[in-house]
Amino acid sequence: MRVAIAGAGAVGRSIAGELLENGHEVLLVDKAPTAISVERVPQAEWLLADACEITSLDEAALQRCNVVIAATGDDKVNLVVSLLAKTEYGVPRVVARVNNPKNEWLFNESWGVDVAVSTPRLMSALVEEAVSVGDLVRLLRFSHGDANLVELTLPEESALAGTQVGDVEWPEDTSLVTIIRGTRVLTPTREDSLEPGDELLFVAAQAREEQLEDLLSVRREGS
């Protein structure tokens, strides 16, 4: 997979390193000469250019990219890069960094964003996830289809503890994608049982989140 990253600061370089370790091709684009640190990520391609300029994106051959990540520290730049990547080059997947939570509402399909990652929101979500059992925590928002990646740690008193995945009537527009059990990451099958303490990750429509939380957190009678 070929990935272009706009913004070669600490965030962009860190993402590039992870992707390269997983065998992907990575191009880092930044207009600041001081940001071009080839020795820090030598396996990546580097381009000194303004990612908001069509000529720069032509040089980057953005049409050959499977994913574009707008990872600069400027929300305006990230929105422009996302819009150009989607509308001018037809990039299938556009991921954008949100620096100011007040701007999060702009990062949607109208601006070409498929996935918006808000660092402050993600950090607060991870804090909530670490201390909350039985509460639904929103980790990521997907622009298309108004869906979110959400997590819930199954409490001891849940009525679904011990129930097989295939026997649960999940809310509409909801999909259980992963069960994290201790150090194991499980791809759920119909025969897998839900156990107290399981971290359950769902992709769910926002309108179904409350219904999903009620289903997982309900107490048994007499408990």
Side-chain angles (χ1 to χ4, degrees), residues 42-115:
Q43 307 97 321
E45 299 176 47
W46 289 79
L47 178 63
L48 176 61
D50 186 345
C52 291
E53 297 288 342
I54 289 288
T55 53
S56 300
L57 299 181
D58 284 344
E59 187 177 353
L62 222 64
Q63 70 278 2
R64 295 199 293 111
C65 292
N66 306 100
V67 180
V68 165
I69 302 173
T72 79
D74 188 325
D75 285 345
K76 296 187 294 295
V77 171
N78 291 342
L79 285 170
V80 171
V81 171
S82 299
L83 185 63
L84 291 175
K86 184 66 71 174
T87 60
E88 297 296 325
Y89 298 91
V91 176
R93 196 71 166 165
V94 177
V95 180
R97 172 188 176 188
V98 185
N99 296 279
N100 186 340
K102 292 181 180 179
N103 296 329
E104 191 173 3
W105 66 277
L106 289 166
F107 285 73
N108 55 39
E109 60 184 352
S110 298
W111 280 93
V113 178
D114 295 307
V115 180

Side-chain angles (χ1 to χ4, degrees), residues 147-181:
N148 299 310
L149 177 66
V150 299
E151 184 272 353
L152 184 141
T153 300
L154 196 69
E156 289 278 352
E157 65 272 18
S158 173
L160 294 185
T163 305
Q164 290 188 331
V165 171
D167 293 335
V168 180
E169 291 188 21
W170 301 109
E172 189 178 356
D173 301 325
T174 298
S175 177
L176 175 62
V177 293
T178 303
I179 300 173
I180 301 175
R181 182 173 296 158

Side-chain angles (χ1 to χ4, degrees), residues 193-223:
S193 294
L194 301 174
E195 297 182 5
D198 283 351
E199 293 182 48
L200 308 177
L201 272 67
F202 296 86
V203 174
Q206 187 167 330
R208 303 296 181 184
E209 289 180 5
E210 184 175 351
Q211 185 180 353
L212 179 62
E213 184 173 23
D214 289 343
L215 174 67
L216 293 165
S217 302
V218 69
R219 295 174 180 269
R220 294 186 179 95
E221 292 183 8
S223 60

